[in-house]
Amino acid sequence: MSKVLEGIRYSESHEWVKAEGNIAYIGVSDFAQSELGDITYVDVPGEGEIVTKGVEFGALESVKTAADLVSPVSGKIIEANGSVIDAPELINQDAYSAWIVKVEMSDPSEIDTLLTPEEYGNIAK
């Protein structure tokens, strides 16, 4: 069974969000990385780009398939994780420490609309 962490929120499209004030770290869940297989490429916009909740903002490619990244919150990208872009396999090694982008949220209350760990655990099987 996939790992689901407490203290973070999840989207139905399998992204996770860890909020620290109005800053959100966004990555993909352990379930998502296990379904994708060996991730070989991460494509995300750079610093300063705007993301919108529910809208695709990037993609992951693996040896099996490609998957869109859908933003779980709205705001401005303040950093893309260069370590993950340079070594996408870090997502497979530990999906929850391998955040993909850091976003300054325009509406931090959007976090409350995301799935709790318990709710996400019911769909990530």
Side-chain angles (χ1 to χ4, degrees):
M1 183 164 171
S2 298
K3 185 167 50 169
V4 176
L5 295 186
E6 294 295 320
I8 60 177
R9 292 293 188 112
Y10 297 86
S11 67
E12 290 184 13
S13 55
H14 306 288
E15 288 82 14
W16 60 261
V17 180
K18 179 180 181 187
E20 295 178 355
N22 70 331
I23 303 300
Y25 293 84
I26 300 172
V28 295
S29 71
D30 186 57
F31 174 80
Q33 72 78 24
S34 68
E35 291 291 302
L36 285 168
D38 293 335
I39 297 171
T40 57
Y41 184 70
V42 177
D43 179 31
V44 292
E47 185 177 322
E49 295 294 320
I50 302 298
V51 294
T52 303
K53 179 178 171 49
V55 177
E56 179 254 313
F57 73 95
L60 298 177
E61 293 181 13
S62 73
V63 294
K64 293 185 347 185
T65 190
D68 290 336
L69 292 168
V70 177
S71 187
V73 295
S74 300
K76 179 173 66 173
I77 294 176
I78 56 175
E79 185 180 350
N81 188 344
S83 296
V84 166
I85 292 167
D86 292 342
E89 64 274 9
L90 293 173
I91 297 170
N92 295 115
Q93 293 168 13
D94 185 353
Y96 296 113
S97 65
W99 57 273
I100 297 171
V101 293
K102 188 174 7 174
V103 172
E104 182 179 6
M105 294 183 283
S106 55
D107 181 2
S109 70
E110 287 180 337
I111 289 286
D112 299 333
T113 68
L114 299 173
L115 300 171
T116 64
E118 181 180 352
E119 291 167 332
Y120 184 70
N122 290 329
I123 66 167
K125 296 181 179 179

